[in-house]
Amino acid sequence: MKRVLILGSGMSSTSLINYLLEHAKDLDISVRVGDIAVESAREKIKNNPRAEAFFFNAEKTDQVSAEVKEADVVVSLLPVKSHPLIARQCVRFGKHLVTASYVSPEMAELNKTAFEKDVLLLNEMGVDPGIDHMSAMQVIDRLKEEGNRLIAFESATGGLVAPEYDDNPWRYKFTWAPFNVVTAGNRGARFLHNGKFKHIPYHKLFRRYETIDIPGYGEFEVYPNRDSLNYQETYGLKDLLTMFRGTIRRPGFCEAWDALVQLGATDHSYTMEGTENMTFREFTNSFLAYNIVDPVEQKVKTYLGLENKPIVMNKLEWLGLFTEEVIGIPELTPAQALQHILMKKWQMGPEDKDMIIMQHQFDYIRLASHHKTFSTMVVKGDDQVNTAMSKTVGLPLAIAVKLILSHKIGLRGVQIPVHKEIYEPVLRELESFGISFEEKDIRVS
Amino acid sequence: MKRVLILGSGMSSTSLINYLLEHAKDLDISVRVGDIAVESAREKIKNNPRAEAFFFNAEKTDQVSAEVKEADVVVSLLPVKSHPLIARQCVRFGKHLVTASYVSPEMAELNKTAFEKDVLLLNEMGVDPGIDHMSAMQVIDRLKEEGNRLIAFESATGGLVAPEYDDNPWRYKFTWAPFNVVTAGNRGARFLHNGKFKHIPYHKLFRRYETIDIPGYGEFEVYPNRDSLNYQETYGLKDLLTMFRGTIRRPGFCEAWDALVQLGATDHSYTMEGTENMTFREFTNSFLAYNIVDPVEQKVKTYLGLENKPIVMNKLEWLGLFTEEVIGIPELTPAQALQHILMKKWQMGPEDKDMIIMQHQFDYIRLASHHKTFSTMVVKGDDQVNTAMSKTVGLPLAIAVKLILSHKIGLRGVQIPVHKEIYEPVLRELESFGISFEEKDIRVS
């Protein structure tokens, strides 16, 4: 019997653990789930005889080492900062590792020694990053094999509330780590557009959105995501004219969120004074100039140029930013205080379901004509536990574990799933879970 | 004979070295000046028999240790990141240290051991920080001794080109480290205004300037400086309603500089692609959306709302931002590329002189009436070597060395010059160099 070690039992572990337990007999595996919140791990394994839950502290090198040593494959769902320690132990004991996180510089450094020890450190194996790489590479490889010349690649993903539960003025709810949503994009963005490199600072990011159409779901906004250029080489697309990655939101979101960015309310670089007794209104006022005449609402309008933007002002008001409610927590950064305010309004209700949308656009030249392929995925959550996010993150991880255990992946070293030997079997199996892409091809000229 | 060790022989060392060498006989000292650019150190000591120049590498712990061991007092003009290593050696060998830099967290940590070893680590002993602390504390202590209640303290400092040489549309030239000017304020600012904490993100900083009047020199703009609240406790001003520190520029500067900030041209967080062959115009265009119709000038106007701001557009044009000149240096961040562009325009000419302006405003209640004291310093440079910046940074350092050598300062541990035993003799002697404050007191109500 082989042993799968899962570190971390947060939201996205549900689909991973369920899949592995369902296949436990076929694969002849046992599953050991460790979390600092051991109760959460225990809940997830549901008394399955092939599974056990245990208290796990990722900061104790001894425990990491002892656990990794006994495992055959390790899956880490811990925060990205914990991964290098775990990866080093995996390399040491010759165990394969799968994560859904971006490859950090510390992880990248392990490539050579992992290769020498015949170990695979497979990262970016969730949805974004993960399914985005796999589904894009499948189309890119096919277009190339057919002899086309790819000239533009644009890709966007968003975690949203499903349309039936889209019932607030922002048309958004937290379906994933709220803090990451509040600070999203704060390092600005870079991409390539028609042969020109484009650089957008954070304070302009939410004014530089584009719109896309998702068949059956209408228009969405897409704001640029971090450094799109990172993947040009990995994807083998060095001659592209346009390379853009973005995040999807519903119409109207970007303009209103921009108001919070302009205000400085998403800043995480310093701690505010007196947030324990600060009202939401005082929080808002702390970003505005002293002025004894105008109420806070008017100061916001003037400062942010929202005089003729009642729809944006309504969204800000609906959040409670002008109320006398007290934050009540000491020593918060602006971003943390804003997260606290947003949590009261953007929390998913007990019946709410989430949705993941992903769309790639490929422009290519076939003979002398310009074509465009749209490839679109929409996945809805089943309920609060089996969310779209949990399925699209957890299932690719689980399938990767299966492929590794059955020796179907020969790659070694630090990898991400841009290789056919990974994306083909994973995408094929994801289809059986309703996670699939619809393609539409048009001739542009 | 006592030994003064000076580490670093950059711009601000001239006045320091000249002062110490002029007083070398009286003080019975020798002066040893170390720099990685040993020629620069040699130039500064001018064959004085009591001085020697030597090659110094601040990264070699052995050399730091050997040099500090032989010294009686150490002055470090090195970059702030070098100070903790030097300070640790000073503590180890029981030597006093003077710097013109802000106290870093690493420096602050040495307080206890320095105290135990009877060592003074005196920091912030230049102009800003330095003369600002000393001159403000002198007035604050006097106002308190007279029984007044201080309610507001606002302080501003600027390094500018002297009025006679103020001959470009920006009314600004580099009189100090250009890179620090380009990235100034990029961590935002915090201050206290009429009892309310105020927080300004970087992208709003240059729109939140105030104006001040400098007698004989007219109006200036002041934009907020980092964290004004840091000094509230140090200054003993915990009950203040307003505490504000700012940077002085000539009228029109802030609005035009804001355009560069909005564009993203001052960003230092990433390296741009292809700056070696990039024109200034392409640099500007890299921050703007792709658009085949409008020229770059029109795109800047639209993006930044400069349609009716010909004065700002003229300033941008004058910098050459729309020309085909090539940057010619690989792998620059936007801030570095902008610095390169600005250096061609903002360099001080061979005859140009600089100027330092500092103004404090103190609001206080005497009996039942509200008074305001303005305290203003203007210092002009003598020439390109004896600049206002070199004098106002170097002379306080030099006088501190003299006071330490003659046992006039009994303080130990990590200190800044907010204490009467430092500021009184230093300010008194600075007056003999024409570095002094004019006071004006008005009754407000």
Side-chain angles (χ1 to χ4, degrees):
Chain A
M1 189 156 66
K2 291 199 172 160
R3 279 179 273 211
V4 179
L5 174 67
I6 297 175
L7 301 175
S9 66
M11 284 168 78
S12 59
S13 68
T14 308
S15 303
L16 166 66
I17 294 171
N18 287 349
Y19 179 99
L20 290 177
L21 292 179
E22 273 162 33
H23 294 72
K25 217 173 150 189
D26 300 350
L27 294 168
D28 193 26
I29 54 169
S30 67
V31 177
R32 201 164 145 73
V33 184
D35 200 304
I36 198 146
V38 66
E39 269 316 313
S40 149
R42 203 163 288 141
E43 251 173 50
K44 298 270 159 72
I45 62 168
K46 297 174 195 152
N47 295 316
N48 187 303
R50 282 182 178 260
E52 42 184 358
F54 68 103
F55 175 85
F56 176 73
N57 182 345
E59 286 173 13
K60 303 267 185 229
T61 310
D62 286 358
Q63 198 190 10
V64 173
S65 161
E67 289 292 338
V68 167
K69 194 176 170 186
E70 299 302 317
D72 289 285
V73 179
V74 182
V75 182
S76 174
L77 297 167
L78 297 171
V80 65
K81 70 170 167 30
S82 303
H83 289 159
L85 168 62
I86 291 160
R88 274 190 293 272
Q89 298 301 325
C90 286
V91 170
R92 180 179 167 203
F93 294 112
K95 314 296 184 175
H96 304 306
L97 171 69
V98 189
T99 86
S101 302
Y102 282 103
V103 173
S104 64
E106 295 83 355
M107 180 66 77
E109 273 173 18
L110 295 172
N111 183 44
K112 193 159 161 282
T113 48
F115 199 84
E116 287 164 3
K117 296 272 266 174
D118 200 35
V119 165
L120 169 62
L121 302 174
L122 179 58
N123 297 278
E124 310 195 12
M125 197 62 212
V127 56
D128 175 11
I131 294 177
D132 55 347
H133 295 327
M134 293 189 278
S135 51
M137 283 309 297
Q138 187 174 49
V139 176
I140 290 167
D141 284 344
R142 189 189 71 216
L143 289 172
K144 282 186 179 172
E145 281 158 22
E146 293 170 358
N148 306 295
R149 188 166 73 85
L150 201 65
I151 56 171
F153 171 61
E154 292 170 79
S155 176
T157 308
L160 299 164
V161 61
E164 301 83 349
Y165 312 94
D166 167 22
D167 52 14
N168 76 37
W170 285 78
R171 309 192 62 194
Y172 184 78
K173 295 179 189 179
F174 286 129
T175 64
W176 197 238
F179 181 73
N180 296 352
V181 174
V182 173
T183 56
N186 65 4
R187 299 175 63 184
R190 289 167 285 292
F191 55 88
L192 183 67
H193 194 167
N194 281 335
K196 305 284 184 193
F197 292 111
K198 295 295 173 188
H199 308 91
I200 309 185
Y202 179 47
H203 61 266
K204 288 287 190 191
L205 200 63
F206 294 92
R207 300 184 192 184
R208 293 281 285 270
Y209 63 87
E210 318 241 314
T211 55
I212 59 171
D213 180 73
I214 302 295
Y217 293 87
E219 264 202 355
F220 289 81
E221 296 178 351
V222 177
Y223 67 84
N225 224 354
R226 304 182 69 149
D227 196 343
S228 298
L229 309 172
N230 271 344
Y231 290 99
Q232 238 190 313
E233 204 175 326
T234 319
Y235 282 14
L237 299 176
K238 293 209 83 171
D239 298 328
L240 271 194
L241 295 175
T242 294
M243 173 98 192
F244 176 92
R245 286 160 54 95
T247 298
I248 298 175
R249 293 287 179 259
R250 287 204 169 78
F253 182 91
C254 288
E255 189 179 16
W257 187 257
D258 184 53
L260 297 171
V261 172
Q262 293 307 315
L263 212 51
T266 61
D267 198 329
H268 187 55
S269 67
Y270 64 93
T271 301
M272 301 183 92
E273 304 73 17
T275 47
E276 182 147 26
N277 300 313
M278 185 184 280
T279 66
F280 293 2
R281 189 176 182 86
E282 284 167 344
F283 171 74
T284 306
N285 193 32
S286 80
F287 304 106
L288 302 164
Y290 183 83
N291 164 346
I292 205 167
V293 182
D294 295 327
V296 178
E297 289 85 346
Q298 183 56 47
K299 290 201 285 182
V300 165
K301 275 187 208 167
T302 314
Y303 191 45
L304 303 182
L306 299 178
E307 296 285 4
N308 301 311
K309 305 268 187 187
I311 294 168
V312 174
M313 279 304 290
N314 283 347
K315 286 196 179 80
L316 300 180
E317 269 166 28
W318 180 85
L319 286 178
L321 287 169
F322 305 114
T323 66
E324 302 292 349
E325 191 167 347
V326 171
I327 295 172
I329 305 166
E331 303 202 353
L332 299 184
T333 67
Q336 290 168 330
L338 179 62
Q339 177 186 336
H340 174 84
I341 294 170
L342 293 171
M343 296 271 272
K344 294 178 183 273
K345 295 291 190 170
W346 286 1
Q347 197 111 16
M348 294 280 276
E351 301 302 320
D352 287 353
K353 292 177 188 169
D354 73 334
M355 175 169 75
I356 302 268
I357 297 179
M358 187 180 292
Q359 186 178 69
H360 308 299
Q361 299 182 23
F362 309 87
D363 284 71
Y364 61 96
I365 308 293
R366 167 174 292 164
L367 301 175
S369 61
H370 177 182
H371 295 252
K372 198 172 176 100
T373 292
F374 295 86
S375 179
T376 308
M377 175 191 89
V378 178
V379 178
K380 290 193 196 172
D382 304 328
D383 52 49
Q384 280 268 295
V385 179
N386 297 293
T387 63
M389 193 64 92
S390 168
K391 290 193 288 183
T392 55
V393 174
L395 290 171
L397 289 170
I399 298 167
V401 168
K402 185 178 79 172
L403 293 169
I404 290 168
L405 286 172
S406 44
H407 309 288
K408 298 275 172 57
I409 301 179
L411 287 162
R412 292 296 178 261
V414 176
Q415 300 290 349
I416 66 170
V418 291
H419 308 279
K420 200 174 271 191
E421 68 172 284
I422 302 176
Y423 71 66
E424 279 208 331
V426 174
L427 290 175
R428 197 180 315 123
E429 186 161 351
L430 285 176
E431 279 189 32
S432 66
F433 291 92
I435 300 173
S436 63
F437 285 78
E438 296 253 334
E439 276 195 29
K440 191 178 79 179
D441 197 274
I442 58 167
R443 185 173 160 164
V444 180
S445 65
Chain B
M1 188 155 69
K2 292 202 170 154
R3 282 180 271 211
V4 178
L5 174 66
I6 297 175
L7 301 176
S9 65
M11 283 168 79
S12 60
S13 69
T14 308
S15 303
L16 165 67
I17 294 171
N18 287 350
Y19 179 99
L20 290 176
L21 291 179
E22 273 161 33
H23 294 71
K25 217 174 150 187
D26 299 352
L27 294 169
D28 193 26
I29 53 169
S30 67
V31 177
R32 199 164 148 73
V33 183
D35 200 303
I36 198 147
V38 67
E39 268 317 311
S40 150
R42 203 163 285 141
E43 250 173 49
K44 297 270 158 71
I45 62 169
K46 296 173 196 153
N47 294 316
N48 188 301
R50 283 183 177 261
E52 41 184 358
F54 68 104
F55 174 84
F56 177 72
N57 182 345
E59 286 173 13
K60 302 264 185 230
T61 309
D62 285 359
Q63 198 190 11
V64 173
S65 161
E67 289 292 338
V68 167
K69 193 176 172 185
E70 298 302 316
D72 289 286
V73 178
V74 181
V75 182
S76 174
L77 297 168
L78 297 171
V80 66
K81 71 171 167 30
S82 304
H83 290 158
L85 168 63
I86 292 159
R88 274 192 293 271
Q89 298 301 324
C90 287
V91 170
R92 179 179 168 203
F93 294 112
K95 315 294 183 175
H96 304 305
L97 171 69
V98 189
T99 86
S101 303
Y102 282 103
V103 174
S104 64
E106 293 84 354
M107 180 66 78
E109 273 173 19
L110 296 170
N111 183 45
K112 194 161 162 278
T113 49
F115 198 84
E116 286 164 2
K117 297 273 266 171
D118 201 36
V119 165
L120 171 62
L121 303 175
L122 180 57
N123 297 279
E124 310 194 12
M125 197 62 211
V127 56
D128 175 11
I131 294 177
D132 55 348
H133 294 327
M134 293 189 278
S135 51
M137 283 309 297
Q138 189 174 49
V139 177
I140 290 166
D141 283 344
R142 191 188 71 215
L143 289 173
K144 281 186 180 174
E145 281 159 21
E146 293 169 359
N148 305 296
R149 188 166 72 87
L150 201 65
I151 54 170
F153 171 61
E154 291 169 80
S155 177
T157 307
L160 299 164
V161 60
E164 300 84 348
Y165 312 94
D166 167 22
D167 52 15
N168 76 36
W170 284 78
R171 308 193 61 195
Y172 184 78
K173 295 179 188 179
F174 286 130
T175 66
W176 196 239
F179 181 73
N180 295 352
V181 174
V182 173
T183 55
N186 64 4
R187 297 175 63 185
R190 289 166 284 291
F191 55 88
L192 183 68
H193 195 168
N194 281 335
K196 303 283 184 195
F197 292 111
K198 295 296 173 188
H199 308 90
I200 310 185
Y202 179 46
H203 61 266
K204 287 288 189 190
L205 201 64
F206 294 92
R207 300 186 192 183
R208 294 280 286 268
Y209 63 86
E210 319 241 314
T211 55
I212 60 170
D213 180 75
I214 303 296
Y217 294 86
E219 263 202 355
F220 290 81
E221 295 177 351
V222 178
Y223 67 83
N225 224 355
R226 302 181 70 149
D227 195 344
S228 299
L229 309 171
N230 271 344
Y231 291 98
Q232 238 190 312
E233 202 174 329
T234 320
Y235 282 16
L237 299 175
K238 295 209 80 173
D239 298 329
L240 272 194
L241 295 176
T242 295
M243 174 98 192
F244 177 92
R245 287 161 54 94
T247 298
I248 298 175
R249 293 289 179 257
R250 286 205 169 77
F253 181 91
C254 289
E255 190 179 14
W257 187 257
D258 183 53
L260 297 171
V261 172
Q262 293 308 315
L263 212 50
T266 62
D267 198 329
H268 187 55
S269 67
Y270 65 93
T271 302
M272 300 183 93
E273 305 73 16
T275 48
E276 182 146 26
N277 301 312
M278 184 184 280
T279 67
F280 293 4
R281 189 176 182 86
E282 284 168 343
F283 171 75
T284 306
N285 193 32
S286 80
F287 304 106
L288 302 165
Y290 183 83
N291 163 345
I292 205 167
V293 183
D294 295 327
V296 178
E297 290 84 346
Q298 183 55 47
K299 289 201 286 182
V300 166
K301 273 188 207 167
T302 313
Y303 191 45
L304 303 181
L306 299 177
E307 296 284 3
N308 301 310
K309 304 270 188 187
I311 295 169
V312 175
M313 278 304 290
N314 284 345
K315 287 196 178 80
L316 300 180
E317 270 165 29
W318 180 85
L319 287 178
L321 287 170
F322 305 113
T323 66
E324 301 292 350
E325 191 167 347
V326 171
I327 294 172
I329 305 167
E331 302 203 353
L332 299 183
T333 66
Q336 290 167 332
L338 179 62
Q339 177 186 336
H340 173 83
I341 294 170
L342 293 171
M343 295 271 272
K344 295 178 181 272
K345 294 292 189 170
W346 285 0
Q347 197 111 15
M348 294 282 276
E351 301 302 321
D352 287 354
K353 293 177 187 171
D354 73 332
M355 175 169 75
I356 301 268
I357 297 179
M358 187 180 291
Q359 186 178 70
H360 308 299
Q361 298 183 23
F362 309 87
D363 283 71
Y364 61 96
I365 308 294
R366 168 174 291 164
L367 300 175
S369 62
H370 177 183
H371 295 253
K372 198 174 176 98
T373 291
F374 295 87
S375 181
T376 307
M377 174 191 91
V378 178
V379 178
K380 290 194 198 172
D382 305 328
D383 52 49
Q384 279 269 295
V385 179
N386 296 293
T387 62
M389 192 65 92
S390 169
K391 291 193 288 183
T392 55
V393 174
L395 290 171
L397 289 169
I399 299 166
V401 169
K402 186 177 80 170
L403 294 169
I404 290 169
L405 287 171
S406 45
H407 310 288
K408 299 276 171 57
I409 301 179
L411 286 163
R412 293 296 179 263
V414 176
Q415 300 290 348
I416 66 171
V418 292
H419 309 279
K420 200 174 271 190
E421 69 171 286
I422 302 176
Y423 73 67
E424 279 208 332
V426 174
L427 291 175
R428 199 180 313 122
E429 186 160 352
L430 285 176
E431 280 188 29
S432 66
F433 291 92
I435 298 173
S436 64
F437 286 78
E438 296 253 334
E439 275 193 28
K440 191 177 79 178
D441 197 273
I442 58 168
R443 184 173 161 164
V444 179
S445 66

